[in-house]
Amino acid sequence: MAINLQQAIDIGKYLVTQRLKGRKRFPLVLMLEPLFRCNLACNGCGKIQHPPEILKQNLTPEQCFAAVEECGAPVVSIPGGEPLMHPQIDEIVRGLVERKKYIYLCTNGLLLEKSLDKFQPSPYLTFSVHLDGMRDLHDKSVDRKGVFDIAVKAIRAAKAKGFRVTTNTTIFDGTDPKEMHEFFEFLETLNTDGMMISPGYSYELAPDQNHFLQREQTHALFREILAPQKAGKKNWNFNHNPLYLDFLTGEKDYECTPWGSPSYSVLGWQKPCYLFGDGYYATFKELLEETDWSQYGRASGNPKCADCMMHCGYEPTAAMDAMQPQNIARSLGTVFGK
């Protein structure tokens, strides 16, 4: 079961409450970046390219808690950089669990096994381990040999200690669907709590700009990748709203809701979302009220948005669509593994 029942209920209540209050823009997932430093230098990442004086900085636990309270989103994703490099990451996670936020701590797995004693298993905490495919593909993606084996060993150790663990996979141009099918089958043997997949976003600062997918390429590739699932031949455990997967294959046509996954880091509230570098605000209120949202999303004509189909922008859209009567039963099926 990818999404635990209590989490699904709490998020459903939250969405209904926002709708009843008549709010058009509200957050679903806070992307909380307590640091940008990392112990890897992946070719498709644009986060570690900040100058040294920025890479040295950390958010304090108090800053993290203030951002979470100010934002109010029920889910907190903690990317980076590598968050397990933060000297107070255990204090940050503990404080968020106390606030009953659903946490996805995103890690490349290199420090995970040795860090497990810092945390307690909780339905509010999930380790989201980055794996882009089987051994050769993943190690090439992160530009270091041996990372796949370390990450897999850490997943097994975390599961043995009772932690929830999901995986996060970025799909680039040239990915072989059959290799992805093999990869999904392997992940099933690890007894993970769900898989997340998303087409990569072409960060302006990413060293490799040649392997990001355009929109029609994304549709075609994901149709092949998800064909066994769609045909009922497989029941892979995806940690996604099924409507988002429909969007990836071209069966749904959504607009981005960038305010659904706001990002807070050492630089402040990022405008308009986790993926861009169009400036920062000091407060979440300023982000919501002062950003010209008409300048973002595919319909805006902004070239930076034309091919983006990442879950941080479109999963919130799918979540709202899931509240439509005709979609409720199918979305709930994800909770029960159907």
Side-chain angles (χ1 to χ4, degrees):
M1 188 164 66
I3 301 174
N4 70 67
L5 182 58
Q6 188 58 52
Q7 179 178 343
I9 292 172
D10 289 345
I11 292 176
K13 288 180 179 177
Y14 173 82
L15 292 174
V16 169
T17 299
Q18 303 308 308
R19 175 170 288 181
L20 290 175
K21 290 181 177 180
R23 292 175 177 167
K24 293 182 178 180
R25 299 189 181 102
F26 54 86
L28 180 61
V29 180
L30 169 61
M31 309 291 283
L32 179 65
E33 300 176 281
L35 80 175
F36 290 130
R37 291 191 308 283
C38 191
N39 46 9
L40 287 176
C42 304
N43 288 326
C45 179
K47 291 295 180 176
I48 62 169
Q49 309 302 326
H50 290 284
E53 61 271 20
I54 299 298
L55 293 178
K56 292 177 183 178
Q57 296 181 31
N58 299 326
L59 288 177
T60 66
E62 291 73 23
Q63 287 174 309
C64 293
F65 302 150
V68 167
E69 297 292 347
E70 182 183 3
C71 173
V75 180
V76 179
S77 177
I78 308 180
E82 170 52 57
L84 291 177
M85 294 177 67
H86 193 294
Q88 295 170 288
I89 189 61
D90 52 339
E91 184 179 342
I92 293 170
V93 167
R94 189 164 55 249
L96 296 182
V97 169
E98 290 172 356
R99 289 165 172 79
K100 296 185 176 181
K101 300 295 181 180
Y102 291 97
I103 307 152
Y104 286 85
L105 193 155
C106 306
T107 174
N108 57 40
L110 291 178
L111 299 175
L112 178 56
E113 185 172 5
K114 67 176 64 176
S115 300
L116 290 176
D117 289 342
K118 295 180 179 180
F119 306 97
Q120 294 293 323
S122 166
Y124 292 102
L125 172 62
T126 300
F127 291 114
S128 178
V129 181
H130 173 215
L131 284 176
D132 280 347
M134 296 299 287
R135 182 181 291 107
D136 290 345
L137 175 60
H138 181 68
D139 287 355
K140 181 181 179 181
S141 175
V142 301
D143 200 24
R144 185 186 299 181
K145 290 184 178 180
V147 175
F148 176 87
D149 290 334
I150 294 172
V152 168
K153 185 171 179 286
I155 290 173
R156 290 193 171 109
K159 289 300 300 178
K161 291 195 171 187
F163 288 98
R164 283 179 51 84
V165 181
T166 60
T167 55
N168 187 11
T169 301
T170 306
I171 306 294
F172 295 99
D173 184 26
T175 298
D176 184 341
K178 291 182 179 179
E179 289 185 7
M180 282 294 105
H181 299 162
E182 177 189 358
F183 176 56
F184 296 158
E185 293 295 315
F186 172 74
L187 293 180
E188 295 281 305
T189 70
L190 298 180
N191 194 32
T192 57
D193 298 280
M195 304 178 288
M196 290 185 285
I197 56 173
S198 181
Y201 178 78
S202 54
Y203 291 102
E204 292 178 11
L205 297 178
D208 180 3
Q209 290 290 322
N210 298 319
H211 291 90
F212 293 105
L213 291 161
Q214 296 181 342
R215 185 167 290 247
E216 290 309 314
Q217 288 178 298
T218 297
H219 289 326
L221 182 54
F222 275 86
R223 278 195 291 268
E224 289 190 70
I225 290 174
L226 296 174
Q229 185 95 348
K230 295 284 186 178
K233 297 178 180 179
K234 294 293 181 180
N235 188 26
W236 291 314
N237 190 20
F238 288 113
N239 192 41
H240 286 294
N241 187 313
L243 302 178
Y244 173 68
L245 299 181
D246 289 349
F247 167 69
L248 293 179
T249 59
E251 297 168 66
K252 288 277 188 180
D253 187 15
Y254 287 142
E255 267 299 314
C256 176
T257 50
W259 54 84
S261 298
S263 174
Y264 183 74
S265 71
V266 296
L267 298 174
W269 293 94
Q270 189 167 344
K271 183 176 70 172
C273 69
Y274 174 70
L275 304 171
F276 277 23
D278 284 5
Y280 296 85
Y281 288 114
T283 68
F284 179 66
K285 186 173 185 290
E286 289 176 312
L287 174 70
L288 278 188
E289 296 180 358
E290 297 186 19
T291 301
D292 183 357
W293 297 107
S294 67
Q295 299 301 308
Y296 302 101
R298 187 186 182 199
S300 72
N302 188 328
K304 294 181 182 180
C305 301
D307 294 313
C308 177
M309 298 178 70
M310 283 188 68
H311 55 81
C312 56
Y314 289 93
E315 194 91 61
T317 314
M320 289 306 300
D321 193 24
M323 302 298 290
Q324 297 298 318
Q326 66 271 23
N327 294 327
I328 291 176
R330 183 154 178 251
S331 297
L332 284 176
T334 303
V335 179
F336 299 102
K338 298 180 181 179

